[in-house]
Amino acid sequence: MAYQIRRHVAKKLLSVCNQKGRTEFTDQFLDKVACSIQMNDVSKKSCIDKPNMKISETVMKKNGIHIDSSVSPAAAATENHEDLEFIRGKKEIAIKYDSKYFTKKVLKEIISENSRAGLNSQLHRFYKKNGGQLVARVIPENVIVEFSSPNIAKPFHAGHLRSTIIGNFVANINEALNNNVTRINYLGDWGTQFGILSVGFKKYGCHNRLKSDAMKHLFEVYVAVNKDVESEEKDSGVSKTRQLALQHLTRMETDDGDLHDEWKLFRDSSIDSYSAVYKRLGIHFDEYHGESMYYKSAHDVLNEAELAGILSTNSKGIKFIDLSESFGGQSVSANLLKSDGSTLYITRDLAAILDRYRKYQFNRIHYVVEQGQNLHFKQMVAILQKLGHQWINNCDNLHIGFGRVQGMSTRQGNVVFLSDILDEAKLRMLKIMSSKQSTKAAESVEETADILGMSAVIVQDLKQRKNRDYDFDWDRMLDNRGDTGVSLQYNHARLYSIEKNCGIEMNLCSALESLTEAEAIRLTLHLAKFDEIVNECYSTLEAHSLVTYLFKLVHLSNAAIHGLSVKGSPKTVAEDRLFLFVCARIILSNGMKLLGLKPLKSM
């Protein structure tokens, strides 16, 4: 936080270091130095007596900021009671700032920015790249985030859950930093699976059940017809049902009217079911796309590849592109068209990204898909490069992969749908809450339990580094005493309760002179790091560091609540402490919203 503090420190530092005798510096130069200044860790109790900022000499040098080696930074002159001390080490310069001025600057900025605190920082104008060099970022950018993307009639499994949670975070943090974000849910609504579903619905389907619970009924049909396929293949080696399904798909791609009507019914019913669950999670999509949109334009991709002279046909009549050169000589190829003339997933994906580039002129596009699909996206990039679409080279983090989730099951058995997961979390939270005394209305308890359950699911996922597998643990996830989504909600409600019930009004004009206790200083130092954490998450598109930051914020704010009473304290002291707790609540709320949580005011 308090970017102006960094700016002031940078100006003083350059002056004290006698930067080649210069006394004036351009705004851009000062920005580079200021953005290199970092807040120190505040986890240790002794931190309040240590320097609270630092700057790496290596980073400074990489950005063309050279310190005169004949000058040793010492205590800087005091200006307007803004005491600064520079301590030069082997690899960095440590900076100690007057605690009273620092506290006032940080907390006043948080109150001023409120819901935008930590998100308006000048720090976000830069990102670290190429070994620490600071490079200006163009804002705003046009960003597409494709996430969740379930398949019609197939279970909304843990992979889709992770894609939904991580993708929402990626979209949230881009939106928070003022990028123009388009959220796309790309449904698997085409291909052989639809042909099998179409055949199965004629045998096992019920239109009334489709209206009442589309997803579960379509899944039941899909499971039943696939059992037929397996049985037929086991008995004779050939499945008539699968052959009929492939014929359906071929007819679909040649504009069969009846099959298109049926497909539209299945697709629309599925979207209605999904939308209700996404609304419950507080997640929205700007557009629902699907493979079905691109089976025709996929042939344009084939024509483009043909004209470029890179499309080949094998002995079975399958059209493919040889990518060995792009993969360092490895024998890699990508099939784009089946022998029966129907398109494949990658062909439709290529048509989709080309259409999106024309429509949105995106700077970046992110596909939030499990890491097992890494080869698919590498092939996509290689094909686009071969086709001459060089803009693809500027799309950092095109594929945001993630690991698997193990052990996710309910009392009724294996979880299949996202709604089952959320219902189970809600039921378990209701059981925990019912064991404690509560005077809330039943409706409030139901809603609170639902929000707590969703918070628990989201935070257990985002606290992991996204590329790692993890074990889903219901009990640990719902514990309000550990580092969980429930504990974040509990702390937010507690801070809000202090604000509401302390019996005094916050004094916006306070000089905040009384916040000299260790608990207050450590909490303020941690609040000041929020913009750095946001910047890190934006650069890496990884939520783990933000979740860790919020857990530490909970611990520090709890320590401050225990040690710094508002009620019963002298008026000025009480006002200053209330100011601090309101700032802590604002930063906690802003961080929780980035994760996709709805902060609770009471529990």
Side-chain angles (χ1 to χ4, degrees):
M1 296 296 295
Y3 182 79
Q4 291 307 315
I5 289 180
R6 286 189 177 92
R7 208 69 164 29
H8 175 76
V9 171
K11 196 168 185 178
K12 283 277 189 139
L13 175 64
L14 292 172
S15 176
V16 171
C17 290
N18 190 26
Q19 175 71 24
K20 297 184 179 179
R22 295 163 62 183
T23 57
E24 296 295 330
F25 307 97
T26 64
D27 284 344
Q28 184 178 11
F29 190 75
L30 282 171
D31 273 337
K32 281 194 171 186
V33 182
C35 285
S36 297
I37 295 171
Q38 293 181 302
M39 300 301 305
N40 282 336
D41 184 31
V42 297
S43 57
K44 297 179 180 178
K45 291 184 178 181
S46 60
C47 73
I48 61 172
D49 301 318
K50 304 289 185 181
N52 44 26
M53 287 177 276
K54 62 186 176 184
I55 182 168
S56 165
E57 289 195 23
T58 301
V59 172
M60 292 175 70
K61 289 175 182 177
K62 284 183 177 179
N63 286 281
I65 305 164
H66 301 286
I67 300 173
D68 190 335
S69 59
S70 66
V71 177
S72 179
T78 298
E79 179 182 330
N80 298 326
H81 303 291
E82 300 164 9
D83 297 328
L84 283 173
E85 183 180 355
F86 299 103
I87 305 152
R88 190 167 190 174
K90 292 182 179 180
K91 296 182 179 180
E92 64 186 25
I93 295 174
I95 306 151
K96 186 163 176 55
Y97 213 114
D98 174 71
S99 61
K100 286 186 178 181
Y101 182 83
F102 183 88
T103 296
K104 180 179 179 180
K105 196 75 176 174
V106 171
L107 299 185
K108 292 281 186 178
E109 182 180 329
I110 293 173
I111 291 296
S112 174
E113 298 287 351
N114 206 314
S115 63
R116 293 291 301 164
L119 307 177
N120 284 337
S121 174
Q122 289 290 96
L123 195 65
H124 305 318
R125 290 176 50 206
F126 298 87
Y127 64 90
K128 293 178 180 179
K129 193 175 183 180
N130 298 330
Q133 185 175 5
L134 290 165
V135 184
R137 178 189 289 123
V138 178
I139 292 181
E141 294 181 331
N142 296 325
V143 179
I144 290 178
V145 185
E146 181 195 295
F147 65 105
S148 196
S149 304
N151 296 309
I152 285 179
K154 287 189 177 180
F156 197 119
H157 58 69
H160 293 124
L161 174 65
R162 293 213 76 187
S163 175
T164 303
I165 292 170
I166 295 170
N168 188 52
F169 169 76
V170 171
N172 285 346
I173 200 159
N174 272 279
E175 288 171 345
L177 299 189
N178 298 316
N179 286 329
N180 302 314
V181 179
T182 303
R183 299 159 169 256
I184 294 178
N185 196 338
Y186 187 65
L187 300 175
D189 62 351
W190 205 253
T192 305
Q193 65 166 22
F194 175 77
I196 290 175
L197 180 63
S198 177
V199 173
F201 197 81
K202 288 178 172 55
K203 188 173 182 180
Y204 300 108
C206 170
H207 284 276
N208 287 333
R209 291 197 61 199
L210 186 66
K211 290 178 182 178
S212 62
D213 196 340
M215 283 311 305
K216 290 193 176 181
H217 182 51
L218 288 176
F219 177 56
E220 289 167 353
V221 169
Y222 190 77
V223 169
V225 72
N226 270 284
K227 286 182 179 178
D228 291 347
V229 171
E230 291 174 9
S231 176
E232 291 166 0
E233 289 177 342
K234 184 178 180 180
D235 291 342
S236 62
V238 178
S239 168
K240 293 183 178 179
T241 300
R242 182 180 292 278
Q243 289 178 335
L244 185 57
L246 291 172
Q247 291 172 13
H248 274 224
L249 178 61
T250 302
R251 286 169 54 198
M252 282 282 291
E253 294 206 348
T254 55
D255 292 323
D256 185 287
D258 291 338
L259 285 177
H260 268 271
D261 291 341
E262 183 182 61
W263 162 83
K264 189 175 186 304
L265 175 63
F266 293 168
R267 185 180 189 275
D268 291 348
S269 299
S270 298
I271 289 175
D272 288 343
S273 295
Y274 287 136
S275 296
V277 180
Y278 291 134
K279 184 178 180 181
R280 182 177 172 187
L281 270 170
I283 293 174
H284 74 277
F285 292 92
D286 297 299
E287 296 188 26
Y288 281 87
H289 289 181
E291 294 179 65
S292 56
M293 294 171 59
Y294 298 107
Y295 72 90
K296 289 183 178 178
S297 54
H299 290 277
D300 295 335
V301 175
L302 292 163
N303 293 335
E304 188 177 346
E306 190 90 62
L307 289 172
I310 60 173
L311 191 66
S312 304
T313 307
N314 67 17
S315 59
K316 296 181 179 179
I318 297 171
K319 293 187 181 295
F320 69 97
I321 294 178
D322 184 358
L323 301 175
S324 301
E325 184 180 349
S326 302
F327 281 78
Q330 298 180 52
S331 180
V332 177
S333 63
N335 295 339
L336 298 188
L337 192 71
K338 295 179 183 179
S339 57
D340 63 4
S342 57
T343 59
L344 286 101
Y345 183 82
I346 191 170
T347 330
R348 299 188 288 272
D349 234 1
L350 287 164
I353 194 172
L354 291 171
D355 177 63
R356 292 169 186 176
Y357 188 71
R358 286 189 293 267
K359 183 176 180 180
Y360 300 104
Q361 288 296 298
F362 56 78
N363 301 97
R364 286 180 285 119
I365 183 169
H366 302 299
Y367 294 90
V368 187
V369 182
E370 61 100 8
Q371 56 195 10
Q373 294 296 313
N374 193 39
L375 176 60
H376 169 83
F377 291 103
K378 285 183 176 179
Q379 289 177 321
M380 270 184 61
V381 170
I383 292 170
L384 290 167
Q385 289 170 336
K386 277 182 167 290
L387 292 173
H389 299 290
Q390 295 307 312
W391 48 263
I392 194 64
N393 297 324
N394 298 320
C395 293
D396 296 334
N397 292 307
L398 180 104
H399 175 212
I400 299 177
F402 51 82
R404 296 179 178 273
V405 185
Q406 308 293 337
M408 185 180 289
S409 61
T410 66
R411 295 179 183 85
Q412 289 73 38
N414 292 329
V415 170
V416 173
F417 298 100
L418 177 56
S419 57
D420 294 333
I421 299 167
L422 298 182
D423 287 344
E424 179 77 6
K426 177 182 175 180
L427 286 171
R428 290 180 183 240
M429 276 311 309
L430 278 171
K431 184 177 180 180
I432 293 170
M433 293 170 68
S434 66
S435 66
K436 301 176 182 179
Q437 290 185 350
S438 175
T439 57
K440 296 176 183 176
E443 297 85 351
S444 176
V445 171
E446 288 271 335
E447 182 182 0
T448 298
D450 199 30
I451 292 172
L452 287 173
M454 288 186 288
S455 299
V457 171
I458 291 169
V459 171
Q460 178 165 252
D461 192 290
L462 293 180
K463 72 188 287 188
Q464 323 294 330
R465 294 195 183 277
K466 61 179 180 285
N467 61 340
R468 293 181 182 173
D469 299 343
Y470 76 91
D471 293 324
F472 193 92
D473 187 319
W474 286 103
D475 294 331
R476 188 171 62 222
M477 179 186 78
L478 298 170
D479 188 354
N480 70 341
R481 295 164 297 179
D483 288 341
T484 64
V486 179
S487 67
L488 294 182
Q489 291 284 13
Y490 177 81
N491 189 254
H492 184 273
R494 190 180 188 190
L495 288 166
Y496 187 82
S497 177
I498 292 172
E499 189 177 343
K500 183 180 179 182
N501 301 319
C502 66
I504 63 168
E505 295 291 329
M506 189 172 66
N507 181 7
L508 294 175
C509 299
S510 173
L512 303 176
E513 293 282 341
S514 71
L515 295 174
T516 57
E517 300 89 353
E519 296 93 339
I521 293 172
R522 281 199 297 273
L523 180 53
T524 302
L525 283 168
H526 191 64
L527 295 175
K529 286 178 67 70
F530 183 59
D531 62 347
E532 287 183 3
I533 297 299
V534 170
N535 209 49
E536 178 185 338
C537 291
Y538 182 52
S539 299
T540 62
L541 300 179
E542 174 79 73
H544 166 78
S545 54
L546 175 57
V547 177
T548 301
Y549 171 88
L550 294 179
F551 288 153
K552 187 175 289 186
L553 174 55
V554 166
H555 299 318
L556 290 170
S557 62
N558 281 336
I561 290 169
H562 284 299
L564 307 175
S565 176
V566 177
K567 280 188 175 182
S569 297
K571 186 173 184 295
T572 301
V573 174
E575 288 173 347
D576 289 356
R577 290 175 177 178
L578 177 60
F579 203 110
L580 174 66
F581 293 136
V582 170
C583 288
R585 194 262 305 159
I586 287 171
I587 294 301
L588 179 57
S589 175
N590 291 353
M592 290 171 68
K593 288 174 182 175
L594 286 176
L595 298 178
L597 310 185
K598 178 183 178 181
L600 288 169
K601 293 182 178 180
S602 63
M603 284 177 61

